[in-house]
mmCIF file of all heavy atoms in Angstrom:
data_model
loop_
_atom_site.group_PDB
_atom_site.id
_atom_site.type_symbol
_atom_site.label_atom_id
_atom_site.label_comp_id
_atom_site.label_asym_id
_atom_site.label_seq_id
_atom_site.Cartn_x
_atom_site.Cartn_y
_atom_site.Cartn_z
ATOM 1 N N VAL A 122 -2.765 -1.403 2.301
ATOM 2 C CA VAL A 122 -3.559 -1.211 3.517
ATOM 3 C C VAL A 122 -3.382 -2.405 4.452
ATOM 4 O O VAL A 122 -3.200 -2.245 5.667
ATOM 5 C CB VAL A 122 -5.046 -0.983 3.171
ATOM 6 C CG1 VAL A 122 -5.925 -1.081 4.403
ATOM 7 C CG2 VAL A 122 -5.215 0.372 2.485
ATOM 8 N N GLU A 123 -3.392 -3.598 3.899
ATOM 9 C CA GLU A 123 -3.207 -4.801 4.714
ATOM 10 C C GLU A 123 -1.793 -4.913 5.256
ATOM 11 O O GLU A 123 -1.574 -5.494 6.313
ATOM 12 C CB GLU A 123 -3.549 -6.043 3.898
ATOM 13 C CG GLU A 123 -5.030 -6.186 3.632
ATOM 14 C CD GLU A 123 -5.353 -7.399 2.757
ATOM 15 O OE1 GLU A 123 -4.432 -8.146 2.396
ATOM 16 O OE2 GLU A 123 -6.534 -7.569 2.432
ATOM 17 N N ALA A 124 -0.819 -4.341 4.568
ATOM 18 C CA ALA A 124 0.578 -4.435 4.996
ATOM 19 C C ALA A 124 0.908 -3.474 6.132
ATOM 20 O O ALA A 124 1.888 -3.685 6.853
ATOM 21 C CB ALA A 124 1.511 -4.163 3.814
ATOM 22 N N TRP A 125 0.112 -2.416 6.304
ATOM 23 C CA TRP A 125 0.449 -1.410 7.297
ATOM 24 C C TRP A 125 0.627 -1.977 8.713
ATOM 25 O O TRP A 125 1.655 -1.738 9.338
ATOM 26 C CB TRP A 125 -0.560 -0.263 7.296
ATOM 27 C CG TRP A 125 -0.336 0.662 8.448
ATOM 28 C CD1 TRP A 125 -1.118 0.807 9.547
ATOM 29 C CD2 TRP A 125 0.783 1.537 8.639
ATOM 30 N NE1 TRP A 125 -0.571 1.720 10.404
ATOM 31 C CE2 TRP A 125 0.608 2.184 9.873
ATOM 32 C CE3 TRP A 125 1.924 1.830 7.901
ATOM 33 C CZ2 TRP A 125 1.514 3.115 10.376
ATOM 34 C CZ3 TRP A 125 2.835 2.746 8.395
ATOM 35 C CH2 TRP A 125 2.624 3.370 9.620
ATOM 36 N N PRO A 126 -0.333 -2.731 9.270
ATOM 37 C CA PRO A 126 -0.155 -3.203 10.654
ATOM 38 C C PRO A 126 1.105 -4.045 10.844
ATOM 39 O O PRO A 126 1.822 -3.877 11.830
ATOM 40 C CB PRO A 126 -1.411 -4.027 10.926
ATOM 41 C CG PRO A 126 -2.410 -3.548 9.951
ATOM 42 C CD PRO A 126 -1.624 -3.122 8.737
ATOM 43 N N GLU A 127 1.385 -4.907 9.906
ATOM 44 C CA GLU A 127 2.581 -5.750 10.011
ATOM 45 C C GLU A 127 3.846 -4.930 9.829
ATOM 46 O O GLU A 127 4.814 -5.071 10.582
ATOM 47 C CB GLU A 127 2.529 -6.877 8.979
ATOM 48 C CG GLU A 127 3.689 -7.830 9.092
ATOM 49 C CD GLU A 127 3.632 -8.944 8.064
ATOM 50 O OE1 GLU A 127 2.536 -9.289 7.598
ATOM 51 O OE2 GLU A 127 4.706 -9.462 7.732
ATOM 52 N N GLY A 128 3.850 -4.054 8.842
ATOM 53 C CA GLY A 128 5.029 -3.242 8.571
ATOM 54 C C GLY A 128 5.291 -2.215 9.662
ATOM 55 O O GLY A 128 6.438 -1.903 9.970
ATOM 56 N N ALA A 129 4.240 -1.695 10.250
ATOM 57 C CA ALA A 129 4.384 -0.668 11.282
ATOM 58 C C ALA A 129 4.747 -1.252 12.636
ATOM 59 O O ALA A 129 5.375 -0.583 13.448
ATOM 60 C CB ALA A 129 3.082 0.128 11.398
ATOM 61 N N GLY A 130 4.326 -2.460 12.876
ATOM 62 C CA GLY A 130 4.565 -3.057 14.188
ATOM 63 C C GLY A 130 3.379 -2.824 15.107
ATOM 64 O O GLY A 130 2.543 -1.949 14.878
ATOM 65 N N GLU A 131 3.342 -3.586 16.170
ATOM 66 C CA GLU A 131 2.193 -3.587 17.074
ATOM 67 C C GLU A 131 1.960 -2.225 17.745
ATOM 68 O O GLU A 131 0.833 -1.741 17.817
ATOM 69 C CB GLU A 131 2.391 -4.667 18.140
ATOM 70 C CG GLU A 131 1.208 -4.875 19.044
ATOM 71 C CD GLU A 131 1.437 -6.019 20.012
ATOM 72 O OE1 GLU A 131 2.101 -7.001 19.634
ATOM 73 O OE2 GLU A 131 0.938 -5.905 21.138
ATOM 74 N N THR A 132 3.025 -1.599 18.224
ATOM 75 C CA THR A 132 2.877 -0.321 18.933
ATOM 76 C C THR A 132 2.321 0.758 18.016
ATOM 77 O O THR A 132 1.346 1.439 18.352
ATOM 78 C CB THR A 132 4.228 0.141 19.513
ATOM 79 O OG1 THR A 132 4.698 -0.864 20.409
ATOM 80 C CG2 THR A 132 4.090 1.460 20.247
ATOM 81 N N LEU A 133 2.924 0.918 16.864
ATOM 82 C CA LEU A 133 2.503 1.962 15.945
ATOM 83 C C LEU A 133 1.123 1.665 15.352
ATOM 84 O O LEU A 133 0.296 2.568 15.208
ATOM 85 C CB LEU A 133 3.536 2.133 14.827
ATOM 86 C CG LEU A 133 3.390 3.359 13.965
ATOM 87 C CD1 LEU A 133 3.289 4.621 14.803
ATOM 88 C CD2 LEU A 133 4.554 3.467 13.024
ATOM 89 N N ALA A 134 0.870 0.421 15.032
ATOM 90 C CA ALA A 134 -0.451 0.058 14.515
ATOM 91 C C ALA A 134 -1.529 0.344 15.560
ATOM 92 O O ALA A 134 -2.665 0.673 15.220
ATOM 93 C CB ALA A 134 -0.475 -1.409 14.108
ATOM 94 N N GLY A 135 -1.147 0.266 16.827
ATOM 95 C CA GLY A 135 -2.092 0.534 17.900
ATOM 96 C C GLY A 135 -2.471 1.992 18.053
ATOM 97 O O GLY A 135 -3.487 2.301 18.666
ATOM 98 N N VAL A 136 -1.675 2.904 17.518
ATOM 99 C CA VAL A 136 -1.996 4.330 17.621
ATOM 100 C C VAL A 136 -2.580 4.878 16.325
ATOM 101 O O VAL A 136 -2.720 6.090 16.165
ATOM 102 C CB VAL A 136 -0.767 5.178 18.054
ATOM 103 C CG1 VAL A 136 -0.279 4.753 19.416
ATOM 104 C CG2 VAL A 136 0.324 5.144 17.020
ATOM 105 N N THR A 137 -2.929 3.992 15.406
ATOM 106 C CA THR A 137 -3.570 4.425 14.158
ATOM 107 C C THR A 137 -5.004 3.927 14.130
ATOM 108 O O THR A 137 -5.305 2.825 14.583
ATOM 109 C CB THR A 137 -2.802 3.924 12.925
ATOM 110 O OG1 THR A 137 -2.711 2.504 12.961
ATOM 111 C CG2 THR A 137 -1.402 4.503 12.878
ATOM 112 N N ASP A 138 -5.889 4.778 13.621
ATOM 113 C CA ASP A 138 -7.312 4.443 13.558
ATOM 114 C C ASP A 138 -7.708 3.828 12.225
ATOM 115 O O ASP A 138 -8.293 2.764 12.173
ATOM 116 C CB ASP A 138 -8.170 5.692 13.759
ATOM 117 C CG ASP A 138 -8.403 6.009 15.210
ATOM 118 O OD1 ASP A 138 -8.336 5.098 16.038
ATOM 119 O OD2 ASP A 138 -8.651 7.185 15.517
ATOM 120 N N GLN A 139 -7.401 4.529 11.161
ATOM 121 C CA GLN A 139 -7.830 4.116 9.829
ATOM 122 C C GLN A 139 -6.662 4.196 8.862
ATOM 123 O O GLN A 139 -5.786 5.047 9.005
ATOM 124 C CB GLN A 139 -8.942 5.023 9.304
ATOM 125 C CG GLN A 139 -10.190 5.017 10.127
ATOM 126 C CD GLN A 139 -11.168 6.073 9.620
ATOM 127 O OE1 GLN A 139 -10.782 7.093 9.058
ATOM 128 N NE2 GLN A 139 -12.451 5.820 9.823
ATOM 129 N N VAL A 140 -6.703 3.313 7.878
ATOM 130 C CA VAL A 140 -5.700 3.324 6.815
ATOM 131 C C VAL A 140 -6.445 3.130 5.501
ATOM 132 O O VAL A 140 -7.264 2.227 5.384
ATOM 133 C CB VAL A 140 -4.664 2.191 7.008
ATOM 134 C CG1 VAL A 140 -3.618 2.228 5.910
ATOM 135 C CG2 VAL A 140 -4.008 2.280 8.388
ATOM 136 N N TRP A 141 -6.169 3.990 4.541
ATOM 137 C CA TRP A 141 -6.756 3.837 3.214
ATOM 138 C C TRP A 141 -5.776 4.363 2.179
ATOM 139 O O TRP A 141 -4.851 5.095 2.495
ATOM 140 C CB TRP A 141 -8.115 4.532 3.120
ATOM 141 C CG TRP A 141 -8.081 6.032 3.163
ATOM 142 C CD1 TRP A 141 -8.098 6.886 2.106
ATOM 143 C CD2 TRP A 141 -8.034 6.864 4.329
ATOM 144 N NE1 TRP A 141 -8.057 8.199 2.533
ATOM 145 C CE2 TRP A 141 -8.024 8.209 3.900
ATOM 146 C CE3 TRP A 141 -7.990 6.616 5.692
ATOM 147 C CZ2 TRP A 141 -7.978 9.275 4.777
ATOM 148 C CZ3 TRP A 141 -7.942 7.689 6.559
ATOM 149 C CH2 TRP A 141 -7.937 8.992 6.107
ATOM 150 N N MET A 142 -5.988 3.960 0.945
ATOM 151 C CA MET A 142 -5.090 4.381 -0.132
ATOM 152 C C MET A 142 -5.903 4.873 -1.308
ATOM 153 O O MET A 142 -6.902 4.260 -1.680
ATOM 154 C CB MET A 142 -4.191 3.225 -0.562
ATOM 155 C CG MET A 142 -3.097 3.639 -1.514
ATOM 156 S SD MET A 142 -1.795 2.408 -1.517
ATOM 157 C CE MET A 142 -0.981 2.793 -3.017
ATOM 158 N N ARG A 143 -5.449 5.986 -1.874
ATOM 159 C CA ARG A 143 -6.107 6.544 -3.049
ATOM 160 C C ARG A 143 -5.046 7.137 -3.961
ATOM 161 O O ARG A 143 -4.253 7.963 -3.533
ATOM 162 C CB ARG A 143 -7.114 7.615 -2.617
ATOM 163 C CG ARG A 143 -7.852 8.223 -3.803
ATOM 164 C CD ARG A 143 -9.013 9.072 -3.384
ATOM 165 N NE ARG A 143 -10.025 8.218 -2.770
ATOM 166 C CZ ARG A 143 -10.793 8.597 -1.762
ATOM 167 N NH1 ARG A 143 -10.671 9.783 -1.244
ATOM 168 N NH2 ARG A 143 -11.689 7.772 -1.271
ATOM 169 N N HIS A 144 -5.032 6.681 -5.199
ATOM 170 C CA HIS A 144 -4.117 7.201 -6.229
ATOM 171 C C HIS A 144 -2.654 7.152 -5.793
ATOM 172 O O HIS A 144 -1.908 8.118 -5.978
ATOM 173 C CB HIS A 144 -4.503 8.614 -6.639
ATOM 174 C CG HIS A 144 -5.923 8.748 -7.084
ATOM 175 N ND1 HIS A 144 -6.409 8.117 -8.205
ATOM 176 C CD2 HIS A 144 -6.974 9.405 -6.539
ATOM 177 C CE1 HIS A 144 -7.692 8.393 -8.347
ATOM 178 N NE2 HIS A 144 -8.060 9.162 -7.345
ATOM 179 N N GLY A 145 -2.258 6.046 -5.189
ATOM 180 C CA GLY A 145 -0.867 5.853 -4.812
ATOM 181 C C GLY A 145 -0.457 6.482 -3.497
ATOM 182 O O GLY A 145 0.685 6.355 -3.070
ATOM 183 N N VAL A 146 -1.383 7.178 -2.834
ATOM 184 C CA VAL A 146 -1.087 7.830 -1.559
ATOM 185 C C VAL A 146 -1.741 7.031 -0.433
ATOM 186 O O VAL A 146 -2.959 6.855 -0.414
ATOM 187 C CB VAL A 146 -1.593 9.291 -1.535
ATOM 188 C CG1 VAL A 146 -1.294 9.943 -0.196
ATOM 189 C CG2 VAL A 146 -0.988 10.084 -2.682
ATOM 190 N N LEU A 147 -0.914 6.552 0.500
ATOM 191 C CA LEU A 147 -1.406 5.820 1.660
ATOM 192 C C LEU A 147 -1.695 6.826 2.762
ATOM 193 O O LEU A 147 -0.810 7.538 3.223
ATOM 194 C CB LEU A 147 -0.376 4.795 2.127
ATOM 195 C CG LEU A 147 -0.830 3.865 3.236
ATOM 196 C CD1 LEU A 147 -1.939 2.938 2.744
ATOM 197 C CD2 LEU A 147 0.339 3.045 3.763
ATOM 198 N N HIS A 148 -2.971 6.910 3.156
ATOM 199 C CA HIS A 148 -3.413 7.830 4.203
ATOM 200 C C HIS A 148 -3.561 7.041 5.496
ATOM 201 O O HIS A 148 -4.225 5.995 5.504
ATOM 202 C CB HIS A 148 -4.759 8.456 3.840
ATOM 203 C CG HIS A 148 -4.721 9.254 2.582
ATOM 204 N ND1 HIS A 148 -4.480 10.596 2.570
ATOM 205 C CD2 HIS A 148 -4.878 8.880 1.282
ATOM 206 C CE1 HIS A 148 -4.511 11.038 1.323
ATOM 207 N NE2 HIS A 148 -4.742 10.004 0.523
ATOM 208 N N ILE A 149 -2.975 7.561 6.571
ATOM 209 C CA ILE A 149 -3.027 6.875 7.854
ATOM 210 C C ILE A 149 -3.505 7.872 8.896
ATOM 211 O O ILE A 149 -2.861 8.899 9.135
ATOM 212 C CB ILE A 149 -1.646 6.310 8.234
ATOM 213 C CG1 ILE A 149 -1.172 5.357 7.128
ATOM 214 C CG2 ILE A 149 -1.697 5.627 9.590
ATOM 215 C CD1 ILE A 149 0.281 5.001 7.205
ATOM 216 N N LYS A 150 -4.644 7.571 9.516
ATOM 217 C CA LYS A 150 -5.186 8.435 10.557
ATOM 218 C C LYS A 150 -4.576 8.025 11.890
ATOM 219 O O LYS A 150 -4.702 6.878 12.314
ATOM 220 C CB LYS A 150 -6.704 8.340 10.610
ATOM 221 C CG LYS A 150 -7.315 9.319 11.571
ATOM 222 C CD LYS A 150 -8.814 9.308 11.498
ATOM 223 C CE LYS A 150 -9.362 10.320 12.497
ATOM 224 N NZ LYS A 150 -10.806 10.191 12.626
ATOM 225 N N VAL A 151 -3.928 8.975 12.542
ATOM 226 C CA VAL A 151 -3.212 8.730 13.788
ATOM 227 C C VAL A 151 -4.028 9.300 14.944
ATOM 228 O O VAL A 151 -4.561 10.405 14.850
ATOM 229 C CB VAL A 151 -1.803 9.364 13.737
ATOM 230 C CG1 VAL A 151 -1.019 9.055 14.990
ATOM 231 C CG2 VAL A 151 -1.047 8.878 12.505
ATOM 232 N N LYS A 152 -4.108 8.551 16.051
ATOM 233 C CA LYS A 152 -4.926 8.945 17.197
ATOM 234 C C LYS A 152 -4.362 10.144 17.948
ATOM 235 O O LYS A 152 -5.100 10.890 18.568
ATOM 236 C CB LYS A 152 -5.053 7.776 18.179
ATOM 237 C CG LYS A 152 -5.800 6.593 17.628
ATOM 238 C CD LYS A 152 -5.817 5.462 18.641
ATOM 239 C CE LYS A 152 -6.478 4.226 18.070
ATOM 240 N NZ LYS A 152 -6.460 3.110 19.030
ATOM 241 N N SER A 153 -3.066 10.348 17.921
ATOM 242 C CA SER A 153 -2.414 11.362 18.742
ATOM 243 C C SER A 153 -1.653 12.358 17.876
ATOM 244 O O SER A 153 -0.941 11.979 16.942
ATOM 245 C CB SER A 153 -1.446 10.657 19.705
ATOM 246 O OG SER A 153 -0.415 11.494 20.123
ATOM 247 N N ALA A 154 -1.761 13.639 18.227
ATOM 248 C CA ALA A 154 -1.029 14.682 17.494
ATOM 249 C C ALA A 154 0.475 14.507 17.651
ATOM 250 O O ALA A 154 1.230 14.762 16.713
ATOM 251 C CB ALA A 154 -1.470 16.054 17.976
ATOM 252 N N ALA A 155 0.905 14.088 18.812
ATOM 253 C CA ALA A 155 2.345 13.890 19.043
ATOM 254 C C ALA A 155 2.894 12.789 18.141
ATOM 255 O O ALA A 155 3.963 12.947 17.536
ATOM 256 C CB ALA A 155 2.595 13.555 20.509
#
Side-chain angles (χ1 to χ4, degrees):
V122 168
E123 289 177 2
W125 171 251
E127 184 180 334
E131 186 176 326
T132 301
L133 192 52
V136 299
T137 58
D138 275 335
Q139 299 173 332
V140 181
W141 69 97
M142 189 161 161
R143 181 169 294 145
H144 305 296
V146 179
L147 186 67
H148 299 267
I149 302 166
K150 186 174 180 189
V151 183
K152 295 177 184 178
S153 155

